[in-house]
Amino acid sequence: MGLKEFFKEPPAIPVIGDEAKVKSMYSHWRLRIFYACFIGYTVFYLCKKNIAVALPGIMDEFGYSATELGLLGSSLYLTYGIGKFVNGVLADGSDVRKFFPTALLMTAIANILFALAPNAVELLGLSTKMTAMVLLWVLAFLWGVSGWFQSAGFPAVAKSLTYWYSNSERGTKWSLWSCSHQTGTFLSFIIAGHIAAHFGWRAAFLVPGTLAVITALWLYERLRDRPQSLGLPDVEEYRNEPVKVKSSDEKNAEDSMTYVQIFKKYVLCNKTIWLLAVAYVFVYIIRFGAEDWMIMYLKNAKNIGLDQATNMIASLPLVGICGTVCAGLISDKLFKGKRAPVNLIYLVGVIFAIIALKFNTINSLNYVIIGLLGAFTYGPQMMIGGLCAVESSSKKVASAASGFTGTFGYVGAFLSATGTGFLVDKLGSNGQQNWDGAIYFWLVSGIICLILCTILAIDEYKKDSHKA
């Protein structure tokens, strides 16, 4: 059996006629698939954010410069960004039960090999300088490989959540699942940091890698593909919730289209998807700007000690969880499944939080401001490139749509990494950095994203008006 056949999406089987059995099965599988996706994606982050606590140890052992170590992060951003789109297309026609665990298993192997790489390179018997150079490129390659397989996790989850939850509840469920990002980030800093401090940086990859292998096997046992593969009706039919966007004629036409035709219509030629993708660039500039540069901003611009600055940034993911969950709840309960108003509210909050960060002079208030920045940023990060993307396309290309916008997001991550540093140096003088450059970059990004989302909100209003 080839790889294509192994990963092939299982066929739909005849729908079960017993309504009681359908209700029981839906109740069972929806919960089971949700917590499996949450735990699985959390473990992905244990194998992703561990690099942050390992870098000081790698630098001390091999004498790399910060610029050289930056190659590791760049390799992951590059492969992760491209992989999100490619793996999104692949995930649409694949069995989630096999696709998701395999991606995590390969990520685990890359992490374990990353830890073992120094010993392997030393066996080559090269000079100290040559060993360090070869090892750097080996580590960059392995971290890039890890990024590629990590990028396959989100599209698989996007497909699952789209098929198992209907529009009226999807915002809540998607926001709850999206907390796996912050949970994984938080746990990775704690677990990998503790392990690295006591057992060395290699253990910070070996332990999460081993845990990921076990989790991948568990995921295969827990997960299933679409409801139709279990003899269940569409989730909209089960919940008596007709699809809002497509008429029966449009649905029939879609059923007769090939995947390429559906992809072209609902992704490549979809104005809404393109606007969401471009908006996502600016969301990620702010997100990664805050995650990657906030400690340096607090330390260099506000003269806050490293320990206190580290404690302050911890509020970013923790309060971000609250913001993420509230975004989904508000869009489902208050706005009846409409996402655009929530994006606008949150982006206004992002802009005010950035301005407050600039002018605040009370140290203790930074905890609140940074927490609010996390809450207001993680909401659009969950909605724009994920939930809005899949709901603006077709279920049949849900993974590809989220992967497409995700690729643009990591363009933003790359721009955040390079642009923030460039502006901080460029606006400075006499060798001194000017951290207002970071604030201006994030602020302008927030304003541009707000403008784009306003255009999307107007389009959504016009479409609703025509239907009325």
Side-chain angles (χ1 to χ4, degrees), residues 30 162 164-171 235-236 239 241:
R30 276 154 56 95
T162 302
W164 284 96
Y165 293 97
S166 63
N167 180 267
S168 66
E169 60 179 346
R170 198 177 294 137
V235 67
E236 288 82 10
R239 288 177 54 83
E241 184 179 315

Side-chain angles (χ1 to χ4, degrees), residues 307-374:
D307 287 344
Q308 190 177 10
T310 302
N311 291 334
M312 287 178 180
I313 199 175
S315 66
L316 192 82
L318 290 180
V319 182
I321 290 175
C322 299
T324 302
V325 174
C326 287
L329 285 171
I330 292 170
S331 68
D332 276 350
K333 306 301 181 185
L334 184 61
F335 293 106
K336 307 302 179 185
K338 296 184 186 301
R339 319 302 177 190
V342 180
N343 286 331
L344 296 181
I345 293 169
Y346 270 61
L347 287 167
V348 170
V350 166
I351 291 169
F352 277 104
I354 294 172
I355 294 172
L357 183 66
K358 158 68 177 170
F359 292 104
N360 175 54
T361 57
I362 305 172
N363 265 8
S364 58
L365 199 56
N366 284 321
Y367 288 95
V368 177
I369 295 171
I370 293 171
L372 288 174
L373 179 60

Side-chain angles (χ1 to χ4, degrees), residues 7-63:
F7 286 110
K8 186 177 180 180
E9 182 180 76
I13 62 176
V15 176
I16 297 170
D18 187 339
E19 289 187 10
K21 186 175 182 181
V22 167
K23 184 176 180 180
S24 175
M25 288 181 66
Y26 247 118
S27 177
H28 169 78
W29 284 108
R30 276 154 56 95
L31 175 63
R32 178 164 160 169
I33 284 171
F34 179 84
Y35 71 68
C37 286
F38 186 97
I39 294 172
Y41 208 73
T42 297
V43 176
F44 264 109
Y45 264 71
L46 296 184
C47 295
K48 180 180 181 182
K49 294 297 183 179
N50 51 350
I51 189 72
V53 301
L55 287 179
I58 296 173
M59 178 182 284
D60 291 342
E61 183 172 345
F62 301 104

Side-chain angles (χ1 to χ4, degrees), residues 6 222 235 253 283 367:
F6 176 76
R222 292 280 94 184
V235 67
V283 172
Y367 288 95

Side-chain angles (χ1 to χ4, degrees), residues 61-325:
E61 183 172 345
F62 301 104
Y64 295 130
S65 66
T67 302
E68 287 173 324
L69 289 180
L71 180 66
L72 301 181
S74 298
S75 67
L76 183 134
Y77 286 158
L78 177 64
T79 58
Y80 197 99
I82 298 172
K84 246 192 170 183
F85 175 59
V86 175
N87 286 314
V89 174
L90 295 175
D92 278 320
S94 298
D95 185 349
V96 169
R97 185 187 185 191
K98 297 174 182 176
F99 195 84
F100 193 36
T102 300
L104 182 56
L105 179 63
M106 297 305 294
T107 297
I109 292 172
N111 267 251
I112 293 170
L113 292 177
F114 191 97
L116 301 177
N119 302 87
V121 173
E122 285 176 5
L123 295 176
L124 298 175
L126 304 173
S127 65
T128 302
K129 184 177 180 180
M130 185 61 69
T131 296
M133 184 181 74
V134 171
L135 177 61
L136 178 64
W137 286 102
V138 170
L139 293 178
F141 171 78
L142 290 172
W143 204 235
V145 169
S146 178
W148 179 271
F149 288 109
Q150 286 175 23
S151 72
F154 177 72
V157 173
K159 178 181 177 180
S160 285
L161 296 183
T162 302
Y163 272 98
W164 284 96
Y165 293 97
S166 63
N167 180 267
S168 66
E169 60 179 346
R170 198 177 294 137
T172 302
K173 297 300 188 293
W174 198 295
S175 65
L176 288 171
W177 165 80
S178 193
C179 293
S180 61
H181 294 71
Q182 295 93 322
T183 303
T185 299
F186 182 73
L187 290 177
S188 184
F189 286 149
I190 292 176
I191 296 173
H194 179 78
I195 291 171
H198 289 82
F199 304 102
W201 68 265
R202 289 170 176 80
F205 295 92
L206 289 172
V207 174
T210 303
L211 180 61
V213 171
I214 297 170
T215 304
L217 297 175
W218 175 78
L219 284 173
Y220 180 76
E221 188 273 331
R222 292 280 94 184
L223 290 171
R224 293 297 185 274
D225 197 64
R226 303 165 299 155
Q228 293 88 335
S229 67
L230 297 175
L232 296 171
D234 288 345
V235 67
E236 288 82 10
E237 182 181 339
Y238 163 69
R239 288 177 54 83
N240 193 27
E241 184 179 315
V243 180
K244 298 177 181 180
V245 178
K246 302 179 185 70
S247 65
S248 59
D249 290 340
E250 288 175 320
K251 188 178 186 302
N252 291 334
E254 183 180 311
D255 289 339
S256 66
M257 295 165 68
T258 65
Y259 178 85
V260 174
Q261 290 172 323
I262 297 172
F263 174 76
K264 182 179 178 181
K265 178 178 179 180
Y266 290 104
V267 179
L268 289 185
C269 297
N270 188 337
K271 172 191 170 185
T272 300
I273 290 292
W274 278 97
L275 283 172
L276 289 169
V278 176
Y280 214 39
V281 172
F282 298 101
V283 172
Y284 265 57
I285 286 175
I286 300 168
R287 176 194 169 187
F288 278 87
E291 289 181 358
D292 296 346
W293 293 95
M294 186 61 72
I295 289 179
M296 291 186 67
Y297 172 78
L298 294 172
K299 186 173 179 292
N300 297 336
K302 294 185 175 290
N303 298 313
I304 295 172
L306 182 60
D307 287 344
Q308 190 177 10
T310 302
N311 291 334
M312 287 178 180
I313 199 175
S315 66
L316 192 82
L318 290 180
V319 182
I321 290 175
C322 299
T324 302
V325 174

